[in-house]
Amino acid sequence: MSTITSAPTISQEELQARAPKELGFLRFPQALTHFAEREMRLRQLANNHAMRDYLLFIADVAHAQHEQLQTFPEVALPDADALKNAALLGQPPLPAVHWQRDPAWQAATRAIAQAVASKVPENARPMLEQLAQADSAWLEKQADLLLNGIMLGLDLGTAPIVAAGLQVYWTHMVLATNKLELPKSQAAAFGRIDNTSVCPCCGSPAVDSVVRMDTEVAGRRYLHCSLCGSEWHMVRVKCTHCESTKGLVFESLVAAEAEINEEEGQSITRAVVQAESCKECNHYLKILHADRDPMVEPVADDLASVTLDMLVSQEGQQRSGVNLMLLWGDPEAAEAEQPGA
């Protein structure tokens, strides 16, 4: 279990004040649909796509993730005191970087590698078969690199599968922690943290953001966690990286429509995926519009729009989020090791 620094005594009123107040601040993944919907969307987007083979490969990975999540064993979770201290300190209760991982995530990773090995081209099978037999030390080292965003030493070939196992593990922990019975003085297991640009549950960066159209939260923008799949609300007038309300520019691969927004005096677009760039901090994050396509899925639609990343990156913008299913890096600079070495 993770050790969290002790915090000073604080009143119940102040503790409750730190909990999410407005409706729908946090949205949690659903065990039966989280990875299943990702798989379905990936297969839909793969049709006639230039990245068809890779999208279908990640769809197979999502299928294996779904199966692993349904049977994931019980693991150590933060207790009521740890959850309270995390809230007082404004920190995520399940910090990806500092959490003492249970070996169960390794078993899930090996199972996912084995499940997809038979579905990839023959030249890729040895890598996955080797990953399925990788020793614990190597897997833990790769996990540390992934969760800390370090490319040097990271095996880019197997990174998506290692990430897949970590995603299952953290998704399970978030769902299990959210079901814990807590003292009446604690409003919820998860709430707001000091850093609004990372996940309130695990502290990981977002994949992208999504404008949701569910009845109770219609029109609200949520950031989608790259690791545990939780979502947290952030108003649409702020940069998701620096929170500036100035200099936001939206770009897409869809040409602006001819109609004019009379209030703004600008052409509008019906693009499902846009890049929200901030001229103040030179960072960008994609924003997906479920009002334009209710089938959008954060990881899948991000993968299928990598051309937009290339376009915005060429303009000098740096991506603030990460998609663990497709990491960008220089393989030579990474000096990747082989599984089990």
Side-chain angles (χ1 to χ4, degrees):
M1 184 177 297
S2 176
T3 301
I4 301 180
T5 306
S6 60
T9 303
I10 195 168
S11 68
Q12 177 178 332
E13 289 75 17
E14 186 170 345
L15 178 62
Q16 292 177 333
R18 290 175 177 257
K21 285 190 173 181
E22 85 257 22
L23 178 66
F25 169 68
L26 275 169
R27 292 167 55 93
F28 298 102
Q30 301 298 311
L32 293 177
T33 60
H34 181 54
F35 293 113
E37 289 181 350
R38 182 175 302 172
E39 177 192 1
M40 180 174 62
R41 181 60 167 174
L42 284 163
R43 297 194 187 283
Q44 179 187 45
L45 292 171
N47 291 326
N48 300 317
H49 197 284
M51 292 175 56
R52 177 181 180 277
D53 291 345
Y54 191 74
L55 295 180
L56 291 177
F57 167 65
I58 299 300
D60 289 335
V61 172
H63 181 84
Q65 287 179 291
H66 173 77
E67 293 184 337
Q68 289 300 308
L69 184 60
Q70 308 315 305
T71 59
F72 205 85
E74 291 185 6
V75 294
L77 302 171
D79 58 21
D81 287 339
L83 291 171
K84 179 178 179 180
N85 284 344
L88 296 177
L89 295 170
Q91 298 175 352
L94 293 166
V97 174
H98 303 296
W99 188 259
Q100 184 176 340
R101 296 183 291 270
D102 189 285
W105 85 268
Q106 299 178 22
T109 300
R110 294 188 183 100
I112 293 169
Q114 190 170 17
V116 300
S118 62
K119 301 179 181 181
V120 299
E122 188 173 350
N123 62 350
R125 291 175 190 172
M127 177 179 62
L128 291 172
E129 291 171 351
Q130 195 171 5
L131 176 59
Q133 302 298 322
D135 62 59
S136 297
W138 186 86
L139 284 172
E140 291 295 343
K141 180 178 180 180
Q142 292 297 301
D144 285 337
L145 294 173
L146 266 173
L147 297 176
N148 282 279
I150 299 173
M151 300 297 289
L152 184 62
L154 182 66
D155 180 10
L156 294 178
T158 59
I161 308 300
V162 174
L166 291 168
Q167 286 178 338
V168 172
Y169 175 43
W170 253 273
T171 300
H172 169 81
M173 286 199 295
V174 166
L175 294 176
T177 301
N178 199 41
K179 293 178 181 178
L180 292 176
E181 293 186 9
L182 302 175
K184 293 182 179 180
S185 60
Q186 291 181 241
F190 301 105
R192 299 179 181 279
I193 62 174
D194 293 341
N195 186 350
T196 60
S197 66
V198 299
C199 177
C201 301
C202 69
S204 298
V207 177
D208 45 33
S209 66
V210 188
V211 178
R212 293 296 184 187
M213 292 307 296
D214 305 49
T215 303
E216 295 183 342
V217 297
R220 304 184 90 187
R221 189 261 293 274
Y222 287 83
L223 276 69
H224 185 93
C225 179
S226 58
L227 183 63
C228 73
S230 300
E231 296 185 348
W232 65 104
H233 175 242
M234 179 175 282
V235 295
R236 295 165 66 177
V237 296
K238 286 185 178 181
C239 167
T240 58
H241 182 70
C242 71
E243 297 192 26
S244 172
T245 58
K246 300 181 295 182
L248 293 180
V249 177
F250 296 85
E251 299 183 67
S252 72
L253 300 176
V254 178
E257 295 178 354
E259 62 180 303
I260 301 297
N261 183 318
E262 295 181 357
E263 182 178 349
E264 300 294 335
Q266 298 176 344
S267 297
I268 63 173
T269 179
R270 299 298 295 174
V272 174
V273 181
Q274 292 179 299
E276 181 184 69
S277 300
C278 176
K279 302 305 181 184
E280 296 292 311
C281 67
N282 291 323
H283 284 79
Y284 79 95
L285 192 71
K286 291 177 190 171
I287 179 169
L288 313 182
H289 296 272
D291 56 331
R292 301 170 187 176
D293 186 343
M295 299 300 291
V296 295
E297 198 284 326
V299 172
D301 282 80
D302 179 70
L303 285 177
S305 57
V306 294
T307 304
L308 181 57
D309 288 282
M310 296 177 183
L311 173 66
V312 180
S313 296
Q314 289 175 356
E315 297 174 354
Q317 294 289 309
Q318 181 179 348
R319 178 169 172 150
S320 61
V322 62
N323 190 328
L324 296 177
M325 295 295 102
L326 184 62
L327 298 173
W328 299 84
D330 184 347
E332 294 183 0
E335 297 180 359
E337 299 177 7
Q338 292 300 311

